[in-house]
């Protein structure tokens, strides 16, 4: 580039101006191609976002169901423990009743 030239592909000579228009057209075409490529990628990303959102929602529902089951399992030992205590209290009460009946019968 000499000192009289402007930006790449442009100077004050008419043939260079034509070249500059061609260069601009090529760059414009390339930018159009790049934009289409980006739009295609964006569409794919949008599809992936929808799929991931659905997957996360299903996963959240599955976790909620598992937490409910876990809560039921955690409550079950307490219920079993309560039953065991009830049986023990019933057995002691029954033994006392039998002992009391035997004592009165004497």
């Amino acid at each position: 580039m000499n000192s009289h030239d402007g930006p790449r592909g442009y100077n004050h000579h008419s043939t260079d101006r034509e070249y500059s228009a061609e260069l601009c057209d090529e760059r414009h075409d390339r930018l159009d191609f790049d934009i289409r490529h980006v739009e295609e990628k964006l569409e794919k990303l949008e599809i992936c976002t929808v799929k991931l959102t659905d997957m996360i929602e299903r996963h959240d529902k599955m976790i909620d169901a598992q937490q409910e089951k876990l809560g039921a399992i955690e409550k079950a030992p307490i219920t079993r423990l309560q039953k065991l205590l009830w049986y023990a209290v019933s057995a002691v009460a029954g033994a006392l009743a039998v002992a009391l009946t035997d004592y009165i019968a004497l």
Side-chain angles (χ1 to χ4, degrees), residues 24-105:
C24 288
D25 288 342
E26 289 175 12
R27 287 182 179 172
H28 187 268
D29 290 343
R30 177 63 188 176
L31 288 173
D32 282 344
F33 175 81
D34 290 344
I35 289 170
R36 282 191 302 273
H37 181 73
V38 169
E39 287 173 343
E40 290 171 3
K41 293 288 183 183
L42 181 61
E43 286 177 24
K44 290 178 182 179
L45 285 173
E46 288 171 349
I47 291 169
C48 287
T49 301
V50 170
K51 288 180 179 181
L52 283 172
T53 301
D54 290 343
M55 187 172 60
I56 289 170
E57 288 173 359
R58 286 192 316 266
H59 184 69
D60 286 344
K61 289 177 184 176
M62 186 175 66
I63 287 175
D64 290 342
Q66 289 175 349
Q67 286 177 338
E68 288 179 24
K69 290 177 184 178
L70 183 59
I73 290 170
E74 289 173 345
K75 289 178 183 177
I78 293 172
T79 304
R80 289 183 193 139
L81 181 60
Q82 288 173 342
K83 285 181 182 179
L84 287 175
L85 289 174
W86 177 250
Y87 292 147
V89 169
S90 297
V92 168
L96 286 175
V98 170
L100 186 61
T101 305
D102 286 344
Y103 180 73
I104 293 175

